[in-house]
Amino acid sequence: MGRVLIIGAGGVGTVVAHKVAQNAEIFTDIMIASRTKSKCDAIVKAIGNPNIKTAQVDADNVDELVALFNDFKPEMVINVALPYQDLTIMEACLQAGVNYLDTANYEPKDVAHFEYSWQWAYKKRFEDAGLTAILGCGFDPGVSGIFTAYAAKHYFDEMEYLDIVDCNAGDHHKAFATNFNPEINIREITQNGRYFENGEWVTTAPLSIHQDITYPNIGPRDSYLLYHEELESLVKNFPTIKRARFWMTFGQEYLTHLRVIQNIGMASIEPINYNGMEIVPLQFLKAVLPNPQDLGENYEGETSIGCRIRGLKDGKERTYYIYNNCSHRAAYEETGMQGVSYTTGVPAMIGAMMFFKGEWKRPGVWNVEEFNPDPFMEQLNKQGLPWHEEFDKNLEV
Ligand code: NDP
């Protein structure tokens, strides 16, 4: 039924490949392409399906991408390389007539700044070409938006307050490591915080606002207000929202390491000259930190990510909390990767499945909350990320 090309062979790409291979009735022809072909071959070996093809590609190079697309002729590309490659891959999709899905919005390499405008600018071109582009289809962004759309569709007349709460209560037994690409992760966390209130964006100093939030099966954890990209599309697509915020848990040990890394200049993305060679400190740091793909083996504990929403139904105030908890160990046993890669890769596969089933096939460039959430929610329960709901309880936030 569907030819799919996965670009990126990191932690998330590995999970996407496993899940795509598990759903062979939808994904009939599969290729994994990345900068380092040996990583794609290793994934195919781990899956044990020699029919999956692999290729080397530099996803910064539109011509190389177009040549690969014309050769393999995928119907859809699942982009799980880095956010820097979003625009080149979208451009190549337009040139070769391929549909597109990603899990993180575009970021320029030289400025740690992310917003949807660069990708939304492609809307008309995708529409005219009759191609679908699905943006931000991981967990957050991704399931966070689908949970919100599900709440709006079934439980609220007006959603007023939205808090996305993201807890990783796992322990990988390393002094310091990031759960996905360290460069992207540290750029995200060290930025100013930002949230939406009464029609305006409020900027806060990095990690300056925090409070305890209680997570199911985990307990209270110190949670920090961050800016996260899905806030931008959610307040646009659900205009009744008066306030939207994003919270993520961090342990003291993690924050201490992060502070030192910043204080000594290792989080900088300004190139410096070292022994006649130009290096970017944050990229060098990535090279010495543990590889997120290797964290899975001894990872204990679980993640818990959800949406806490307050609003009106039939004139009465109501609260709603919807979440998924994911065990790092179970994720590792199934795919060889830890829970953060798993919670990102599974939704990316489901988004592609929605496209191939015709549920989410609509020319243009869309954020996930603009599609019907119901068939996606049904698949979350079947594909390893079951969700739970609580009504009219204290949301804490
Ligand atoms: P990794 O760093 O583990 O993997 C990235 C992969 O992309 C690597 O295989 C890398 O190749 C490849 N790559 C990088 N640059 C290029 C290029 N120019 N051409 C071809 N391939 C390239 O990252 P993760 O797997 O942890 O994350 C993947 C994506 O998922 C990121 O965009 C991240 O932001 C996103 N994400 C989204 C989340 C969500 O919930 N929405 C949560 C977590 C991550 P090589 O192996 O050679 O370096």
Side-chain angles (χ1 to χ4, degrees):
M1 189 175 162
R3 284 178 85 77
V4 68
L5 170 62
I6 302 161
I7 302 186
V12 179
T14 303
V15 174
V16 173
H18 273 84
K19 299 306 286 193
V20 157
Q22 284 173 17
N23 287 276
E25 73 292 355
I26 303 281
F27 303 103
T28 47
D29 299 273
I30 306 166
M31 178 185 266
I32 311 169
S34 193
R35 185 165 50 192
T36 315
K37 184 172 176 291
S38 57
K39 289 196 184 176
C40 308
D41 294 332
I43 297 173
V44 173
K45 195 159 167 239
I47 294 173
N49 176 350
N51 293 329
I52 302 174
K53 296 189 169 65
T54 61
Q56 196 279 330
V57 74
D58 175 5
D60 288 319
N61 184 319
V62 176
D63 293 341
E64 261 189 46
L65 287 165
V66 171
L68 177 70
F69 295 179
N70 285 336
D71 182 42
F72 180 63
K73 301 200 177 356
E75 275 174 76
M76 171 166 263
V77 164
I78 301 178
N79 167 17
V80 280
L82 296 179
Y84 312 136
Q85 279 88 46
D86 288 3
L87 299 188
T88 43
I89 298 177
M90 287 178 85
E91 186 61 47
C93 280
L94 283 166
Q95 289 189 25
V98 180
N99 300 281
Y100 174 88
L101 178 145
D102 68 27
T103 66
N105 71 9
Y106 173 69
E107 271 182 63
K109 275 191 187 138
D110 51 350
V111 209
H113 177 76
F114 41 92
E115 61 173 59
Y116 278 114
S117 62
W118 288 291
Q119 291 183 276
W120 284 342
Y122 282 76
K123 193 175 181 81
K124 176 98 178 38
R125 291 177 67 199
F126 271 80
E127 237 169 61
D128 291 348
L131 294 170
T132 303
I134 302 170
L135 305 185
C137 197
F139 207 104
D140 44 350
V143 177
S144 55
I146 293 151
F147 281 171
T148 306
Y150 188 75
K153 181 170 176 182
H154 297 286
Y155 301 124
F156 288 96
D157 296 326
E158 282 187 28
M159 291 190 298
E160 294 180 320
Y161 299 93
L162 167 68
D163 288 277
I164 299 167
V165 292
D166 178 335
C167 171
N168 181 3
D171 184 359
H172 45 51
H173 304 287
K174 307 264 186 224
F176 182 84
T178 63
N179 293 292
F180 63 96
N181 185 285
E183 189 184 330
I184 304 297
N185 193 197
I186 292 173
R187 277 163 67 122
E188 172 180 291
I189 296 164
T190 53
Q191 280 197 58
N192 280 331
R194 202 150 72 105
Y195 64 97
F196 180 83
E197 189 160 42
N198 296 326
E200 284 177 9
W201 290 99
V202 182
T203 302
T204 59
L207 306 177
S208 57
I209 296 181
H210 60 110
Q211 69 167 77
D212 269 1
I213 295 177
T214 312
Y215 296 88
N217 207 33
I218 292 167
R221 286 284 194 280
D222 206 2
S223 307
Y224 291 77
L225 187 143
L226 294 185
Y227 178 63
H228 226 242
E229 62 199 56
E230 65 265 50
L231 297 178
E232 185 186 6
S233 66
L234 287 170
V235 300
K236 177 170 163 272
N237 289 320
F238 299 102
T240 59
I241 293 179
K242 292 181 181 161
R243 190 186 65 205
R245 302 179 296 189
F246 183 96
W247 305 84
M248 190 178 273
T249 60
F250 298 107
Q252 276 315 310
E253 184 71 1
Y254 181 93
L255 292 176
T256 304
H257 275 82
L258 192 66
R259 200 168 60 242
V260 173
I261 284 169
Q262 280 186 286
N263 285 345
I264 62 175
M266 286 305 295
S268 168
I269 57 172
E270 288 299 318
I272 57 153
N273 192 295
Y274 177 74
N275 276 354
M277 197 178 151
E278 195 172 80
I279 62 166
V280 174
L282 184 56
Q283 285 171 4
F284 179 75
L285 177 69
K286 174 181 182 280
V288 296
L289 284 177
N291 183 345
Q293 272 169 270
D294 300 334
L295 296 176
E297 197 171 357
N298 297 310
Y299 219 136
E300 289 161 6
E302 56 193 318
T303 63
S304 178
I305 316 176
C307 295
R308 299 188 181 198
I309 303 171
R310 185 149 54 94
L312 299 174
K313 179 73 179 173
D314 300 327
K316 283 200 206 116
E317 183 164 283
R318 114 175 309 180
T319 72
Y320 177 66
Y321 176 29
I322 178 165
Y323 65 91
N324 159 264
N325 276 28
C326 176
S327 146
H328 287 290
R329 178 157 307 206
Y332 180 73
E333 280 165 8
E334 187 186 331
T335 62
M337 295 294 127
Q338 32 84 359
V340 176
S341 303
Y342 190 85
T343 53
T344 310
V346 173
M349 179 282 291
I350 300 175
M353 176 190 273
M354 292 297 106
F355 168 79
F356 282 112
K357 283 185 163 186
E359 301 275 5
W360 286 18
K361 196 172 199 169
R362 197 194 304 161
V365 173
W366 309 100
N367 292 91
V368 291
E369 66 270 19
E370 295 177 271
F371 294 106
N372 179 9
D374 295 353
F376 192 106
M377 295 289 283
E378 198 186 307
Q379 286 298 325
L380 281 173
N381 283 332
K382 292 185 182 157
Q383 303 287 346
L385 295 175
W387 42 273
H388 311 275
E389 304 175 301
E390 289 179 4
F391 294 88
D392 296 324
K393 289 203 171 164
N394 177 4
L395 295 180
E396 298 178 299
V397 282

